[in-house]
Amino acid sequence: MNRHQQLANYIAKHPEEVGKVVDFDTSTDRLLQFNFTASNSELSPEGIADTARFSNWVNLQLMQNRCRYGIGGYMEHRTLYARSALFDTSNEEPRRLHLGMDIWAAAGTPVYAPLDGTVHSFQNNDRFGDYGPTIILQHDLDGLPLYSLYGHLSADSLSHLQVGQPVAKDQQIAAFGTERENGSWPPHLHFQLMFDMQGMTGDYPGVCRFSEREKYQENIPDPDLILKFSGATII
């Protein structure tokens, strides 16, 4: 049995052990599915490169569709990362494949630990287009190691943390950051799961080259196993 199957089996057997990442109510909230691939004709490279314009577009979509949250991104081949040189390497294939799930909502939106665990690491990845303030938690699911990453947070989210600090399921650990502090993005949370941190602390790639998809997918399970958004109303 591979690690993906182990994780799915653990969650199926212990649903009470899995909490929330955001305050999402399946009875009242709808989710807006964002599309940041080349097929989205509403977005231009110029609009995406301008953080204020990009934020206005995201907020307008949420408002017009009467959604508190937008979602998208797991294994999505995105073109918007051309907005930042962080995702390009000279004479090599650029990084465009998104590895986590984005949850788009207002700055200040609370973020919760969905599983019991400890603080593995944290840091402010303070470059244009990067994660900004980032927290990584470590979990032990009946012997299966799992790590959860939370990116684009508020700067204050890091102020109370210590490595090894215990966290409980449904405990608030952070909040969505503003454009000024979250890596210059419209307010959102990048949520990602990893089986192995591969020696990294405070950071882990959230975007890879499309040619590396299989390698990264082996280590990065579908975040919806925890989020369970697929059972909600998605428009």
Side-chain angles (χ1 to χ4, degrees):
M1 182 186 302
N2 64 34
R3 293 178 296 183
H4 292 262
Q5 293 170 322
Q6 285 181 266
L7 176 58
N9 286 349
Y10 176 88
I11 293 171
K13 291 179 180 177
H14 306 281
E16 74 285 352
E17 300 295 328
V18 182
K20 61 186 177 182
V21 174
V22 293
D23 287 310
F24 177 77
D25 187 341
T26 55
S27 66
T28 58
D29 282 318
R30 304 184 304 166
L31 295 169
L32 178 60
Q33 180 77 53
F34 279 110
N35 170 19
F36 294 126
T37 69
S39 65
N40 187 342
S41 60
E42 294 185 33
L43 292 172
S44 68
E46 295 77 18
I48 289 172
D50 185 320
T51 302
R53 287 175 61 188
F54 190 16
S55 291
N56 289 338
W57 184 87
V58 168
N59 292 336
L60 181 62
Q61 300 305 307
L62 291 172
M63 181 183 69
Q64 288 180 337
N65 288 279
R66 292 175 296 165
C67 291
R68 187 159 54 135
Y69 299 105
I71 58 167
Y74 179 61
M75 294 297 160
E76 181 179 57
H77 195 209
R78 293 179 165 180
T79 54
L80 84 161
Y81 289 110
R83 76 192 297 263
S84 171
L86 181 67
F87 304 104
D88 292 319
T89 49
S90 58
N91 301 319
E92 293 185 16
E93 177 190 357
R95 296 191 296 139
R96 296 287 187 270
L97 187 67
H98 192 257
L99 300 172
M101 175 72 79
D102 284 337
I103 305 172
W104 305 83
T109 296
V111 179
Y112 304 90
L115 301 160
D116 291 342
T118 58
V119 175
H120 172 270
S121 53
F122 57 94
Q123 70 183 26
N124 190 355
N125 297 292
D126 188 19
R127 294 177 290 178
F128 178 76
D130 208 334
Y131 285 135
T134 308
I135 296 173
I136 299 171
L137 303 182
Q138 182 172 358
H139 316 280
D140 182 350
L141 308 183
D142 284 351
L144 175 68
L146 185 70
Y147 300 86
S148 55
L149 181 150
Y150 311 80
H152 309 297
L153 305 173
S154 68
D156 186 60
S157 298
L158 307 186
S159 63
H160 61 287
L161 297 179
Q162 294 182 349
V163 172
Q165 175 181 332
V167 296
K169 181 191 76 171
D170 291 335
Q171 175 184 337
Q172 184 177 349
I173 57 168
F176 288 27
T178 66
E179 295 94 327
R180 294 185 300 276
E181 58 189 347
N182 74 354
S184 297
W185 292 96
H188 73 288
L189 173 71
H190 178 100
F191 176 68
Q192 184 170 309
L193 302 174
M194 295 81 61
F195 293 117
D196 188 342
M197 282 298 296
Q198 300 170 333
M200 301 188 71
T201 59
D203 193 11
Y204 190 90
V207 185
C208 74
R209 301 179 180 92
F210 191 83
S211 62
E212 299 174 318
R213 175 177 179 140
E214 290 187 8
K215 178 183 76 172
Y216 277 97
Q217 197 165 18
E218 183 178 334
N219 189 45
I220 299 174
D222 187 344
D224 197 55
L225 287 168
I226 297 292
L227 295 169
K228 296 182 170 57
F229 283 163
S230 57
T233 301
I234 300 176
I235 60 173

